[in-house]
Amino acid sequence: MTLSTPYKNAQNKYILFFLLGWTLLNILQACTLGIHSDEAYYWVYSRFLDWGYFDHPPMVAVFIRIGDSIIHNEFGLRLMTIISSTISMYVLWLIARKYLVSARWFILVVTGTLIFHIYGFSTTPDAPLLLFTILFYYFYQQYLDNDSWGLAAILGLVVACLLYSKYHGLLLIIFTLAANIGIFKRGTFWLIPILALTLFAPHLLWQVNHGYPSVNYHLFERSSETYEFAHTYLYIPGQLLMAGPLVGWFWFYYGLGRRSTDLFTRCLLVNSAGIYVFFLLNTAKGNVQPHWTLIGFVPLVLLVLIRLQKDAYPKWLFNLAVINAALIIVFRLMLAAGLPFLKNANAFKSYYRFDKWSRQIKQKAGNHHIIIEGGFQLPSKYNFYTNSLKGFAYDDVFYRRTQYDIWPIEDSLQHQKAYYLSPYPTALKADTLHTADGIWYGAWVHDVRTFQKIDIRTDNYKVKANPQQPLSLKLQLLNPGNSAANFKATPEQPVELRACFYKNDSLLHVITAKPDFNQISIPAHQQINYTLQGQAPVAKGRYMLIFSIRTKPFPGGRNSRIVNFTVQ
């Protein structure tokens, strides 16, 4: 469509004011809200720049490293997200403008889409994913009209950036191809996958060299063997909330309820519907976070805007959209103000008080490392707020493995003095610490020994046995580290290999390796075979089996994937 100069000038004036207000609001939020646990974790990513990480590709680490190198605080960590969000909203307008979408409706729909606000300042892998998703649609829209090698090369670069942002970007590519099979006939098309795969090859090589940690985590460790209806039930209101607390329900009906009119709108329709259905089906395997469908909201918003321009809509819709957008903005301002009822709410309290908590812990631990069990969140916040790498996450059997099991932080802890921090009293004589996050317990460990990097594998991840049946569990123990792993025990420092059977977060049965395990030493980058013998649990039922190496005073690390064990 040809756009008249008066139309462009009038509409662009409103868009520029919107972009200014959008940017200022995101700056205010970034400067006043403390670091979220995930953001702190990704900040540690940025201290160890690499081609890949346990949980995600590396683009988020690059975003954070750029901003943090300018200024080390919450604003610096979020700087690139603020910039990329403003760019994203402008490019989204350029896409919509080709369908003569009004600036008034564009501002209302975008401002009323809650998920766009979240990634206007929060720096997680979804922030670069949003940018490159919108850039993909922008250049794909042009490529449909202009079959050129230049646009194909740009799309190849954008696709690579999508994959470097988050693996969900693969869905966008698959559904785009499904919407336009004829694109395979273009000679220029083949440059896109060739260039994208070439640029993405370093990450694939990283996965190979590290034993495919991301593949194992996302495809196996996150999957549940049993279906929970709550996951499906909660998925739907979560999506409606992300689309807009008051109008989200109507946008789904309105945006997905009209047939496509050209190749580009067909692409939008297939992508949006396909992504929401894909993640709905994934609720059969486990919990699906509401923000995972971020790449589905970009085409949904565009479909809504295009239809608003062409079709009639209810008279009440405009006023409801205004209230919806105002509600979100007021809520964000309340978060920025740090109102007490929000600071103490479970959903938001992790944004507050941890700068003070970190200073209090550092005052006790000094320049020594601290070790915190049960998650990456607090060690990462401690690292960020102390601008150090002295915090280490001990991943026990009730949690999951993380990037801390790969980083060299653990190596620097061995046989050193460190401060062990726990939300409950430890087996050692504990200090009681009254902190900004409540009561914590700490104790000094004078000779740290941990084996979190040891990866224990088995050939069978689904096992059935009779009650108390004798078991011979054949294991492979891999040492990816740069030094030998020696399991020699002393009376003061026992080392145990354990098979832990648990259900509903309760440890119900344990098999401990015989003393011959303590004679084992695994050279760097090598593996050994070991057979763990014992008996199956007495009670029938389904168990989660985790193999764990335990050293005093820690509860035992998570050294394997979950084995689904059934006593029948």
Side-chain angles (χ1 to χ4, degrees), residues 43 93 127 153 236 317 480:
W43 177 83
W93 162 248
I236 297 172
L317 182 61

PDB file of all heavy atoms in Angstrom, residues 43 93 127 153 236 317 480:
ATOM      1  N   TRP A  43      23.462 -12.159  34.705  1.00  0.00           N
ATOM      2  CA  TRP A  43      24.618 -11.294  34.898  1.00  0.00           C
ATOM      3  C   TRP A  43      25.868 -12.138  35.115  1.00  0.00           C
ATOM      4  O   TRP A  43      26.943 -11.807  34.577  1.00  0.00           O
ATOM      5  CB  TRP A  43      24.407 -10.370  36.093  1.00  0.00           C
ATOM      6  CG  TRP A  43      25.607  -9.501  36.367  1.00  0.00           C
ATOM      7  CD1 TRP A  43      25.917  -8.315  35.744  1.00  0.00           C
ATOM      8  CD2 TRP A  43      26.680  -9.754  37.285  1.00  0.00           C
ATOM      9  NE1 TRP A  43      27.101  -7.820  36.221  1.00  0.00           N
ATOM     10  CE2 TRP A  43      27.599  -8.688  37.177  1.00  0.00           C
ATOM     11  CE3 TRP A  43      26.947 -10.770  38.187  1.00  0.00           C
ATOM     12  CZ2 TRP A  43      28.757  -8.617  37.928  1.00  0.00           C
ATOM     13  CZ3 TRP A  43      28.105 -10.710  38.945  1.00  0.00           C
ATOM     14  CH2 TRP A  43      28.998  -9.642  38.825  1.00  0.00           C
ATOM     15  N   TRP A  93       5.764  -0.796  14.606  1.00  0.00           N
ATOM     16  CA  TRP A  93       4.939   0.234  13.968  1.00  0.00           C
ATOM     17  C   TRP A  93       5.176   0.272  12.465  1.00  0.00           C
ATOM     18  O   TRP A  93       4.230   0.408  11.684  1.00  0.00           O
ATOM     19  CB  TRP A  93       5.229   1.591  14.593  1.00  0.00           C
ATOM     20  CG  TRP A  93       4.777   2.762  13.756  1.00  0.00           C
ATOM     21  CD1 TRP A  93       5.564   3.682  13.133  1.00  0.00           C
ATOM     22  CD2 TRP A  93       3.420   3.109  13.452  1.00  0.00           C
ATOM     23  NE1 TRP A  93       4.790   4.586  12.461  1.00  0.00           N
ATOM     24  CE2 TRP A  93       3.466   4.263  12.632  1.00  0.00           C
ATOM     25  CE3 TRP A  93       2.182   2.563  13.780  1.00  0.00           C
ATOM     26  CZ2 TRP A  93       2.319   4.867  12.144  1.00  0.00           C
ATOM     27  CZ3 TRP A  93       1.032   3.176  13.294  1.00  0.00           C
ATOM     28  CH2 TRP A  93       1.116   4.312  12.490  1.00  0.00           C
ATOM     29  N   ALA A 127      14.186 -10.813  26.185  1.00  0.00           N
ATOM     30  CA  ALA A 127      14.388  -9.438  25.712  1.00  0.00           C
ATOM     31  C   ALA A 127      15.001  -9.408  24.313  1.00  0.00           C
ATOM     32  O   ALA A 127      14.437  -8.784  23.399  1.00  0.00           O
ATOM     33  CB  ALA A 127      15.239  -8.656  26.709  1.00  0.00           C
ATOM     34  N   ALA A 153      20.109 -12.518   2.923  1.00  0.00           N
ATOM     35  CA  ALA A 153      21.272 -12.497   3.819  1.00  0.00           C
ATOM     36  C   ALA A 153      20.913 -11.879   5.168  1.00  0.00           C
ATOM     37  O   ALA A 153      21.325 -12.376   6.228  1.00  0.00           O
ATOM     38  CB  ALA A 153      22.416 -11.726   3.162  1.00  0.00           C
ATOM     39  N   ILE A 236      -4.301 -21.041  30.334  1.00  0.00           N
ATOM     40  CA  ILE A 236      -5.227 -20.161  29.604  1.00  0.00           C
ATOM     41  C   ILE A 236      -5.353 -18.787  30.261  1.00  0.00           C
ATOM     42  O   ILE A 236      -5.158 -17.760  29.587  1.00  0.00           O
ATOM     43  CB  ILE A 236      -6.594 -20.858  29.454  1.00  0.00           C
ATOM     44  CG1 ILE A 236      -6.419 -22.121  28.603  1.00  0.00           C
ATOM     45  CG2 ILE A 236      -7.618 -19.916  28.823  1.00  0.00           C
ATOM     46  CD1 ILE A 236      -7.652 -23.004  28.549  1.00  0.00           C
ATOM     47  N   LEU A 317     -15.134  -0.920  23.012  1.00  0.00           N
ATOM     48  CA  LEU A 317     -13.778  -1.457  23.000  1.00  0.00           C
ATOM     49  C   LEU A 317     -12.725  -0.383  23.248  1.00  0.00           C
ATOM     50  O   LEU A 317     -11.757  -0.607  23.992  1.00  0.00           O
ATOM     51  CB  LEU A 317     -13.500  -2.160  21.666  1.00  0.00           C
ATOM     52  CG  LEU A 317     -12.129  -2.812  21.543  1.00  0.00           C
ATOM     53  CD1 LEU A 317     -11.938  -3.896  22.595  1.00  0.00           C
ATOM     54  CD2 LEU A 317     -11.937  -3.412  20.145  1.00  0.00           C
ATOM     55  N   PRO A 480      34.315 -33.839  33.763  1.00  0.00           N
ATOM     56  CA  PRO A 480      34.611 -32.860  32.713  1.00  0.00           C
ATOM     57  C   PRO A 480      35.648 -31.827  33.134  1.00  0.00           C
ATOM     58  O   PRO A 480      36.028 -30.971  32.337  1.00  0.00           O
ATOM     59  CB  PRO A 480      33.259 -32.202  32.484  1.00  0.00           C
ATOM     60  CG  PRO A 480      32.606 -32.249  33.825  1.00  0.00           C
ATOM     61  CD  PRO A 480      33.065 -33.520  34.477  1.00  0.00           C
TER      62      PRO A 480
END
